[in-house]
Every structure is written in structure tokens, then in C-alpha cells.
Amino acid sequence: MHLIIFGAPGAGKGTQAELLKSKAAVAHISTGEILRDAVKRETPLGVKAKAIMEKGELVPDELVVGIMKDALQDPKSDNGFILDGFPRTVPQAESLVEVFKEMNIDDVVLLVLDAKDDALVDRLTNRRACKECGKIFSLAEVEGKSECPSCGAKNSFYQRDDDKEDVIRNRLEVYRKSTKPVLDYFADKADVVTVDAMRPIDEVAKEVNEKLKLG
Ligand code: AP5
């Protein structure tokens, strides 16, 4: 599987990537996760990315292209990959297509998760994650619980710094201006599959599986 999951902030890219990973043993490459880890560890990359991410802007292309190349060339990606959050600009997409050519990858599927802004703001303001296992939840799933339903860690839920409403609205604007044009770029370079992501998670997953012929 050589898959790019594409969609606005909150469309469900991370959620669907995790579900897909249980069907196909491939690497899940989330540039957002890699950057958040770098920020947490205060690496040189993290120091550069922190303020940009807190505002909901995009980290410069040259930094994220390097992350993407390292991840695709890692042996963990030998069985395939799910790219989540990359590419986000046309120059990133151009670099990616070059890497695909170098790696002789010509069977890329671009899965578009289509959802409306109001639902996205609502989902993101209500998103929580476990800081131990990284699993993503909605507030309704964990409200009042002290243990993570996935790994059992105690008091481990947190809200992302960029999940505040004003930052979310900026992320949506950045998506419209800089990221949506990537779709046109890929129209003749990948098999583009669109799924209505306004339905419940399991229904979205079912259609994703059908459209990707995963049974
Ligand atoms: P990143 O981490 O990639 O964030 P994002 O694209 O804004 O996407 P999210 O992770 O917010 O949402 P998602 O679509 O994965 O939704 P999720 O499954 O969590 O990037 C963060 C930042 O890093 C960027 O702003 C930028 O600064 C930087 N960055 C990253 N990559 C970069 C790049 N390539 N170039 C430059 N900068 C980069 O779901 C959200 C919530 O909704 C959850 O609570 C979930 O439970 C719920 N949910 C999911 N699906 C459904 C559904 N169908 N119905 C109801 N609820 C649902």
C-alpha cells in the first residue's frame, strides 16, 4: 500500500490511518506527529517548528521534505506506507513525486477525506489524545474517565496546543490557500479516491476499506 491520506484539519486522517494500519502492516508517517515529538524533545527541528505550529501556520517546506525523505527511505516503509499530513503545499507534492520516481513507486493512491468546516472546528475543539499511547479520542469518549481505554495509562489525556478555536480557524484557512491546490496537482499523478468523512468513524472506515479493496 502506497497511500496519501488527504483532508482538512480534523477530517479524520489520523483516525483512519490508525484503523488502516490494523488491516495492512505498513508504516504510518504523520509529519504532524514527528514535528510534535521534535517540539517535545526540544531538538533543533522542534525549536524551529514550535512557534509556527502554535499559530497554525506551515513549517517551511525544506524542513518537512527532509522528514518525509527520511521516513520513506526507512526500512519500516519497505512494506508500504500511509502518509498523513504530507504533502501540504505544491512544492512538497513536487518533491514527493520526485522521491516516488527515485524509489520506482508508481501505484500511489490519494485518499481524500471530505468534511465541512463547522464539523471540523467542533471535532478539533473536542479532541483529546493519550500522551502515553498517542491514541486519539473525542471528549465524549473519555469525559469523566481517568484511564486511557486503549493502554490503561492514568490521567494521560491532553489537548493539543493548536486545538484552540482561533488557531483551528487559521489552520483551516491555511488548508484552503496552500494545501487544497495539491489536489489538482495530483489529479493525473495518483489514483484519487474521495470519501464523505461527515459520517461516523466506522462508516467512513467501511467505505475507505471498500474503495481501497481491503475487504
Ligand atoms: P497535523 O498533525 O498534520 O494536523 P492536521 O492536518 O491539522 O490534522 P489533525 O491531526 O488536526 O486532524 P486529523 O485529520 O488527523 O483528524 P483526527 O483523526 O485527529 O499538523 C499539525 C501542524 O504541524 C500543522 O498545523 C503544521 O504547523 C505542522 N505540519 C504538519 N505537517 C506539515 C507539513 N507537511 N508541512 C508544513 N507543516 C506541517 O480527528 C480529529 C477529531 O475528530 C478526533 O477527536 C477524532 O476522534 C474525531 N473524528 C475523526 N473522524 C471522525 C468522524 N468521522 N466523525 C466524528 N468524529 C471524528
Side-chain angles (χ1 to χ4, degrees), residues 89-194:
T89 63
V90 171
Q92 288 181 22
E94 288 167 348
S95 301
L96 183 61
V97 166
E98 280 308 305
V99 173
F100 287 159
K101 274 189 198 144
E102 285 163 21
M103 296 177 76
N104 292 317
I105 293 172
D106 60 3
D107 56 352
V108 178
V109 176
L110 187 104
L111 170 67
V112 183
L113 297 180
D114 192 28
K116 294 195 169 52
D117 277 15
D118 283 349
L120 300 175
V121 174
D122 191 54
R123 286 181 192 180
L124 291 176
T125 47
N126 286 297
R127 172 167 55 187
R128 297 294 181 273
C130 170
K131 63 178 172 235
E132 293 304 324
C133 66
K135 176 112 172 85
I136 305 162
F137 301 99
S138 66
L139 182 58
E141 290 174 292
V142 296
E143 202 160 29
K145 291 191 178 142
S146 60
E147 276 186 17
C148 170
S150 176
C151 72
K154 286 216 161 58
N155 303 319
S156 61
F157 304 119
Y158 75 100
Q159 186 170 22
R160 268 171 47 177
D161 288 339
D162 59 351
D163 278 349
K164 300 182 186 102
E165 186 164 342
D166 56 333
V167 182
I168 293 168
R169 298 234 177 245
N170 190 40
R171 285 160 60 200
L172 292 172
E173 193 52 36
V174 169
Y175 172 77
R176 251 187 304 275
K177 273 199 205 138
S178 305
T179 305
K180 259 195 144 177
V182 168
L183 265 186
D184 290 336
Y185 176 80
F186 268 106
D188 59 353
K189 294 180 184 64
D191 184 7
V192 179
V193 166
T194 302

Side-chain angles (χ1 to χ4, degrees), residues 7-16 30-33 35-36 49 52-54 56-61 64 84-89 92 113 123-124 126-128 136-139 141 160 162-163 171 197-202 204:
K13 302 183 293 297
T15 302
Q16 294 300 327
S30 158
T31 42
E33 277 305 314
L35 288 166
R36 276 186 290 283
I52 301 170
M53 293 173 75
E54 279 172 357
E57 299 291 331
L58 293 180
V59 173
D61 289 338
V64 280
D84 161 7
F86 189 98
R88 265 177 145 95
T89 63
Q92 288 181 22
L113 297 180
R123 286 181 192 180
L124 291 176
N126 286 297
R127 172 167 55 187
R128 297 294 181 273
I136 305 162
F137 301 99
S138 66
L139 182 58
E141 290 174 292
R160 268 171 47 177
D162 59 351
D163 278 349
R171 285 160 60 200
M198 289 298 289
R199 293 164 305 148
I201 292 172
D202 55 343
V204 176

